[in-house]
Amino acid sequence: MREVGYRLREALASPRKKIFLLMSIDLGFSSRYNIGSLSYPIDYRGETFYPEIGLTSFGPPRVTTTVDREIYEISMIDHADELQAQVRNNNVIGNRVTVYAGFFDEEDQPILSTEDVLIAYEGQIDSVAIINNYESKLIRIQAASPMADLDAV
């Protein structure tokens, strides 16, 4: 069973729960792209997660027609074309993606100890869509659960 720290238990018991998300995308060649949903950079596990790309949503798993496959959808706003350039220049399909969920304490400070930040999702990128229109630049990543590997068998 997972051990959680006192600060996380306290945050979960609070009537006013407030969360943040951190996402790490493996781009290959020992490089990672770290994105946070906060309005400022944040350090977690020795890596900095930047706010330049707005992590706007992380959808619940959607079961596909194949029983062993769940798809998670992650949406981001990328006004500066930073991640779009990475997606277009690298084949990110199949690369690892991890989404962490963290909580704020009573003083609205993020709780960042490793026992208090949860892995909300860990798997591989299944597809990427870049949606450019006159109002926003959206990147939508669909990531498959580790069970999706059974489809290759």
Side-chain angles (χ1 to χ4, degrees):
M1 187 158 87
R2 180 182 159 89
E3 293 287 326
V4 295
Y6 171 76
R7 293 181 71 199
L8 177 59
R9 286 193 304 270
E10 196 173 75
L12 291 172
S14 169
R16 187 184 67 88
K17 295 169 187 62
K18 188 174 169 187
I19 70 162
F20 62 91
L21 296 173
L22 304 173
M23 182 174 75
S24 182
I25 301 173
D26 182 7
L27 296 174
F29 305 110
S30 300
S31 114
R32 250 191 279 286
Y33 209 85
N34 296 325
I35 304 162
S37 65
L38 301 169
S39 61
Y40 49 89
I42 194 164
D43 291 326
Y44 175 64
R45 298 178 74 175
E47 296 188 52
T48 303
F49 291 78
Y50 296 96
E52 284 80 14
I53 296 175
L55 184 55
T56 59
S57 71
F58 172 66
R62 183 173 37 92
V63 178
T64 64
T65 55
T66 307
V67 175
D68 62 346
R69 189 169 167 89
E70 292 180 336
I71 299 291
Y72 290 80
E73 191 167 276
I74 306 159
S75 296
M76 296 153 283
I77 294 176
D78 184 17
H79 291 299
D81 296 331
E82 290 182 34
L83 187 55
Q84 287 186 42
Q86 292 290 339
V87 167
R88 286 189 173 117
N89 294 333
N90 297 314
N91 183 10
V92 296
I93 305 302
N95 288 10
R96 192 145 204 73
V97 61
T98 305
V99 178
Y100 302 95
F103 292 83
F104 289 89
D105 62 17
E106 290 295 320
E107 287 81 39
D108 274 342
Q109 296 299 311
I111 302 171
L112 293 169
S113 57
T114 53
E115 67 267 7
D116 294 328
V117 176
L118 309 173
I119 295 177
Y121 171 76
E122 191 170 35
Q124 295 177 320
I125 296 174
D126 193 47
S127 69
V128 178
I130 298 173
I131 303 157
N132 281 333
N133 62 31
Y134 295 109
E135 296 174 8
S136 66
K137 296 177 180 181
L138 186 68
I139 296 178
R140 189 168 292 134
I141 292 177
Q142 289 189 340
S145 72
M147 292 298 289
D149 291 341
L150 294 176
D151 288 337
V153 178

